[in-house]
Amino acid sequence: LKPFLAQEFWPLCLPLPSRGQQLYFLSGAMQALAGYKTTYEILSPGTSRTTVAKGCNVTMHATGVVKETGKKFWSTKDPGQQPFAYQAGVGGVITGWDQGCLGMEIGETRKLLIPAEEGYGSAGFPAWGIPPGGTLEFTLECLQVK
């Protein structure tokens, strides 16, 4: 764990801890998402104190892979694709993504591990090559929050 001072990096949407209080930035380890089975890992920290909160309009780069097969099913970085825009935290995307992006900072890259029940479930999404019960790995880069 790497200590840092709260006022240096704490997101604006959360209350700022006491001045000088040490917090710990967990990097390189999957972290639990309270109340969900989806987990996440911060691959690189953000460059802004602006964070994704419920109701915000967010633009992200995203790459999705089926964990069981290692097959990429979608990437906004592929030729002809564009960054993905959505409204955060209101159920417009699969649950694991919707909840797993909350708290991301602009510039942050995060990996989500989404179990089937918080992804495409027992039906999968055959048109994209996601099998029934497939676990999803998304690598996301937060580009814009409004």
Side-chain angles (χ1 to χ4, degrees), residues 13-145:
C13 65
L14 300 174
L16 186 63
S18 303
R19 185 159 188 74
Q21 179 181 355
Q22 281 193 337
L23 301 174
Y24 293 88
F25 172 74
L26 298 175
S27 180
M30 294 303 278
Q31 299 177 53
L33 187 60
Y36 296 91
K37 293 181 180 180
T38 295
T39 57
Y40 70 96
E41 175 184 356
I42 298 172
L43 302 177
S44 62
T47 56
S48 168
R49 291 178 53 125
T50 303
T51 61
V52 176
K54 183 177 180 177
C56 290
N57 292 309
V58 182
T59 303
M60 300 225 176
H61 268 308
T63 299
V65 173
V66 176
K67 183 179 182 208
E68 292 82 1
T69 64
K71 180 181 179 282
K72 177 176 75 173
F73 58 86
W74 178 56
S75 180
T76 61
K77 294 184 176 186
D78 284 345
Q81 295 291 313
Q82 294 183 359
F84 181 70
Y86 72 105
Q87 189 175 20
V90 298
V93 293
I94 58 174
T95 300
W97 173 312
D98 204 28
Q99 298 302 309
C101 293
L102 296 177
M104 283 184 79
E105 294 181 356
I106 293 175
E108 180 180 322
T109 302
R110 182 179 285 197
K111 180 166 81 171
L112 299 178
L113 184 62
I114 304 172
E117 57 266 33
E118 294 175 2
Y120 291 103
S122 60
F125 196 139
W128 282 9
I130 299 170
T135 300
L136 309 177
E137 289 183 355
F138 277 101
T139 301
L140 305 169
E141 179 187 357
C142 184
L143 303 174
Q144 185 176 47
V145 177

